[in-house]
Each structure stands twice: as structure tokens, then as C-alpha cells.
Amino acid sequence: MDDFQMMDGPTPLTSISRPFDEILHEPGYLEYQEELRCLIFNTAQTEPPSRDGTPGPALQPGDSYTPEQRIEAQAQFEAALSHGRRLEYLQNWIAEVAPWLDMFDSDGAFTIQVPNLAQRCPALLYAMLALSARQLERKEQTQHSFDSLELYQQAIRLLGPLLQARDMALIPTCVILCVLEMMSASPQDWRKHLEGCAALFDAMGVNGFSGGILQSVFWCYARMDLCGALISDGTRATLVPMAQWLPPGSHVARAASLFRDCMSPEMHANYAVFLCSRVCELISDRTAFTELGEANGCDDQEFKARWTTIWHELQEWVSMRPEEMKPIQSVQAEPFPQILFAHWPAISSNQLYHTACILLLEAVPQGVLAEGGQEWSATWHAKSVCGISLTNPHPGCLNNAIQPLWIAGRLLSHKSEHLLVAKLIRSIESMTGWATTWRISDLEAEWGHKVQVA
């Protein structure tokens, strides 16, 4: 555990969190953020052209560009990379940023396909560079550096041709800009940043089974959408309704067979995201029914039936994992088990399985009897969540671990466990640039004491 020894002397963890993100004070950033939001919603609400003889929206990203536009875009691509640190930002994209966006995608949509598409799509290129620059600025704690803001603004300025043609390249471009916004956003604002992309997916018919780059981008967004639901602490479901994660006409009850038919470890990992999101939806519906009096049908009988169905699907998920999704080593240790995975998608998906089980066990309906076994222990699941993050240092998986660690951390009782989890959360911000330390304050409130670094 020596990797987490950051400084000498007892200092409250929350006092050494990063300063408030400067970019959030910039009027230009807020202005362009609102402009992007308006552009996305206007596009989502506008029907595609239906003139006779005119093709509908492009089915694949970049299809709307003419040969002349592609030549011009290639020239813009080369010119763009000749300025400042932009080539460095592209290198950082490939080495650091894309791998955590591709965490559940062995084909490397963000590492390979998105950079190739960016050569003929200037808005996408600038979105990539903006996110990469923002990640470096936060990771390096760079003061008064706003390359990311300039690149963010340029990406929004270049969205025009994609908007007019309703080119599918809009989808990865806007999702990447959404990731940039959420990297620094306060948790209260997460849903605002997610809403635009949810509207685009609906308007342009993109779902978790669309295939190719669009499917990969959807699942990248879905993980953020789930994080937003987890942040709400039982009061909100995901912005994209569960039925819209599936192909048109599919029923949520058939989801298990849809995921199994794909026959891939990556889709089994995505299935864990789907199941955890269904848990958030169920708890949100139950909260609205019992505390707000909302007539959504989630009475005692309905709640018990849905709870039981999802619980069994979760246990089926873990029992039917492909070999790639199982740990290559699992050692019981104190205070947390060591659970090592060789395949990236296995890390977060198994962590989400444990997270979903914790949420369900905290809301067991009357009349449900525990069948025995460690899967019925919320504390076992909580320690597994922490053990997975401590044993698997992949940055993308660490980013997605913040909300599971918060949910698991609330169940830990010993101060030594608190210290280790708090150090882990702070180290994630140092390694990745993602704002994470606000969750330490939340955990300290749950634990009833400040955490000190020895």
C-alpha cells in the first residue's frame, strides 16, 4: 500500500484537493457550453430533410462529406497539428485518453477509428484535441493554461457542416465534448451535460446494438449516464430510458438473450452496465412512489417482482461470465481481497456487478429471504469493489470506479479501511485528471470523522 503514501505529516485529505477548476470561471467556456447545448437540442428536434430524391442522414460517420470536402478536411487536419502542443495532444489522446474511453472495446474505436475519422472531420479532430488538452491541464495542474478552451471553442465553431447534414460524426464529436465538460463539472451539473447526447441518440436512432463506432460511442456514453444515476443516490434513473439501449422493438425482459447472442466478452461487460442501470431505475421508481407519491406502479408487489428478476439476472451474469471476464487471481486478504483481471472490460463490469448487488441488498423488499452465500452480504460486495480498484490500476477503470467506491465505502466500518479508500480516490485524480476528491468529503460525512494521511 506504499504507493498511496503521498506526503509527510497528518493532513486532512480534503485540504489538499485541487483548486477549483479555473476553466469554469471563464465566460467564454460557459458561453460556448450553452451554445453547444442549444445546437445539440436544435439538431435533435429538427426532422431530417425529406425532399424526393434527397438521401436521408448519413448512416455512417463522415459519409456526408463530398470528395472535395474530404480533401479540404485533410489539409485542415495537417495544418491544425502544426500549431503549439497539438501534436502532443494527439499523442496523449492515443496513449492516455482513448484507452480509457475504449475500456470496454477491444477493437479500439476511440484509439483507431475516431482518429482516422478525424482526418476528414475537423470538428471531431478539435474535440479530441480539446479533451486531451484538458486532461493534461488537470493532470499536470497547469495554472492559467487554456489550450483546451480554445480547442473546445474551435470544435463547436466547426460543427456546422455536421449539423446541416445530420452526419453521424456528430455523435462521437458531441460525446467527446461531453466527456470534457464532465471532467471538471460539479456532480450537481452532470445531468445537464449528459442531456444533449441523450437527445441525439434518440433523434438519430443510435443504441447499444447499432454496430461499429456508433455502438462503441453509445456504451462510452452509457457508462457516464450510469455514473450520473449513481450520483443521484437513488433519486434518478439514467437519462436514456432502458428500452432505448436496445434495438427498436426489443423488450427489456429479452435483454439477456440479446447480449448473450453477441457472444463477446465486451458485450457481457456492457450487460453489467445495463443491469446496474436497471437497478438505478428500479430504486428511483420506488423512491418516487413511496416518497413523492408518484403513480408509477412501483407498489410493494411490483417492486418485489422487479427486484427479484434483476437479482436473478445479476447472479446469472456472474455465473455465466466468459473466461476473459473472470479473475486470473483472487486472494482473500485484509482489509480487501486482491482480485486481478487480465481483460480490461472485466475490471469495471465485475465492479458494477458488486455495486448493483449492494444497491439491491440495501433495498430488499419484505418477503424476500436470503438464500445464503456471500452474494447476500453487502459488506462482501463492498470489499470486493475496493479490492478490484486496488488490484487493477488501469486509468479508465479507475475513472469509472469513483461512484462504486462511494457506494462501497459507506459500508466500511474500520478507520484503516477508510484511510485506504480515501487515498485511493485521491490517487485517481492525480493519475487521471478526473475530479474525484469531492467524494472523500461525502464519505467523511458518512463515516463521521476526517481522514488523516499518516
Side-chain angles (χ1 to χ4, degrees):
M1 304 306 175
D2 292 337
D3 291 343
F4 296 107
Q5 300 299 321
M6 300 286 184
M7 58 171 54
D8 296 326
T11 308
L13 277 165
T14 49
S15 70
I16 54 177
S17 177
R18 293 174 189 272
F20 192 76
D21 204 316
E22 288 180 309
I23 200 172
L24 300 179
H25 292 301
E26 284 296 306
Y29 173 69
L30 300 176
E31 177 185 339
Y32 274 91
Q33 187 182 102
E34 190 58 32
E35 179 180 346
L36 174 62
R37 181 178 171 85
C38 292
L39 287 170
I40 291 175
F41 277 107
N42 288 340
T43 301
Q45 294 166 5
T46 303
E47 291 295 326
S50 58
R51 297 187 302 271
D52 291 340
T54 302
L59 296 178
Q60 294 299 323
D63 280 357
S64 68
Y65 279 80
T66 65
E68 293 77 13
Q69 288 173 320
R70 293 188 181 192
I71 293 172
E72 181 182 352
Q74 180 66 39
Q76 290 179 353
F77 179 86
E78 295 172 1
L81 296 179
S82 65
H83 296 282
R85 297 179 64 188
R86 292 179 184 178
L87 182 57
E88 180 184 348
Y89 296 149
L90 184 58
Q91 292 169 329
N92 183 64
W93 170 273
I94 294 169
E96 295 284 339
V97 178
W100 47 257
L101 296 177
D102 278 334
M103 179 178 54
F104 281 26
D105 184 5
S106 297
D107 291 334
F110 286 94
T111 306
I112 301 170
Q113 298 172 56
V114 165
N116 286 337
L117 177 59
Q119 294 181 67
R120 59 182 188 273
C121 182
L124 178 57
L125 170 64
Y126 278 93
M128 291 166 50
L129 296 176
L131 174 55
S132 181
R134 184 89 283 258
Q135 191 260 353
L136 280 175
E137 289 165 359
R138 287 193 54 82
K139 185 176 178 179
E140 297 171 355
Q141 301 189 53
T142 308
Q143 298 292 319
H144 313 300
S145 174
F146 298 109
D147 277 5
S148 61
L149 176 58
E150 178 185 344
L151 294 162
Y152 174 79
Q153 293 171 337
Q154 186 67 3
I156 295 171
R157 291 191 193 105
L158 291 168
L159 278 174
L162 300 181
L163 294 167
Q164 293 170 11
R166 290 176 65 91
D167 192 300
M168 284 294 189
L170 265 176
I171 301 292
T173 303
C174 291
V175 167
I176 289 169
L177 293 175
C178 176
V179 175
L180 180 152
E181 293 175 1
M182 294 177 69
M183 178 172 279
S184 306
S186 68
Q188 294 81 5
D189 291 336
W190 268 47
R191 287 181 73 86
K192 178 180 178 182
H193 298 298
L194 288 165
E195 286 171 346
C197 291
L200 272 184
F201 287 131
D202 182 34
M204 303 183 81
V206 176
N207 59 66
F209 294 80
S210 292
I213 188 174
L214 296 175
Q215 177 172 310
S216 299
V217 171
F218 177 90
W219 287 109
C220 176
Y221 170 88
R223 295 192 294 272
M224 294 191 293
D225 200 2
L226 171 57
C227 285
L230 292 172
I231 286 173
S232 77
D233 202 14
T235 61
R236 299 283 185 90
T238 55
L239 283 161
V240 178
M242 300 312 304
Q244 292 182 21
W245 293 42
L246 308 175
S250 301
H251 195 281
V252 171
R254 286 193 60 248
S257 61
L258 287 171
F259 284 99
R260 279 198 298 268
D261 289 347
C262 293
M263 300 291 291
S264 76
E266 289 76 14
M267 284 306 285
H268 198 76
N270 289 330
Y271 186 27
V273 179
F274 180 83
L275 287 173
C276 195
S277 298
R278 282 185 65 192
V279 172
C280 291
E281 178 189 52
L282 173 61
I283 294 175
S284 171
D285 286 350
R286 183 60 173 173
T287 301
F289 182 87
T290 58
E291 298 183 14
L292 303 178
E294 185 175 310
N296 59 15
C298 199
D299 57 15
D300 291 351
Q301 183 177 356
E302 175 69 11
F303 176 62
K304 181 179 178 182
R306 288 172 62 184
W307 189 101
T308 303
T309 296
I310 298 174
W311 177 262
H312 287 316
E313 287 188 36
L314 280 165
Q315 306 320 313
E316 186 178 65
W317 181 91
V318 78
S319 67
M320 296 186 66
R321 288 174 297 177
E323 287 300 314
E324 297 92 334
M325 304 299 292
K326 298 176 182 179
I328 60 171
Q329 184 185 46
S330 183
V331 178
Q332 291 305 310
E334 292 297 335
F336 304 121
Q338 298 173 359
I339 309 171
L340 180 64
F341 295 96
H343 195 44
W344 294 350
I347 302 171
S348 281
S349 59
N350 279 275
Q351 196 169 52
L352 287 176
Y353 158 76
H354 292 294
T355 303
C357 289
I358 293 172
L359 295 175
L360 288 179
L361 290 170
E362 289 179 331
V364 179
Q366 288 186 347
V368 172
L369 299 178
E371 299 173 6
Q374 59 190 9
E375 69 271 15
W376 288 89
S377 167
T379 302
W380 175 76
H381 288 293
K383 291 195 171 191
S384 296
V385 166
C386 299
I388 288 171
S389 281
L390 284 166
T391 317
N392 300 272
H394 186 279
C397 301
L398 292 177
N399 290 343
N400 283 268
I402 299 305
Q403 306 321 316
L405 286 170
W406 144 250
I407 290 166
R410 297 182 300 183
L411 300 178
L412 303 176
S413 57
H414 199 279
K415 287 188 176 181
S416 64
E417 297 171 336
H418 300 170
L419 175 62
L420 196 52
V421 169
K423 286 181 176 180
L424 173 60
I425 291 175
R426 194 185 68 187
S427 73
I428 292 173
E429 184 164 316
S430 298
M431 285 188 287
T432 68
W434 274 88
T436 65
T437 51
W438 56 276
R439 267 312 190 194
I440 297 174
S441 299
D442 294 340
L443 283 171
E444 288 174 336
E446 290 282 334
W447 295 331
H449 67 94
K450 290 286 186 180
V451 180
Q452 305 289 329
V453 178

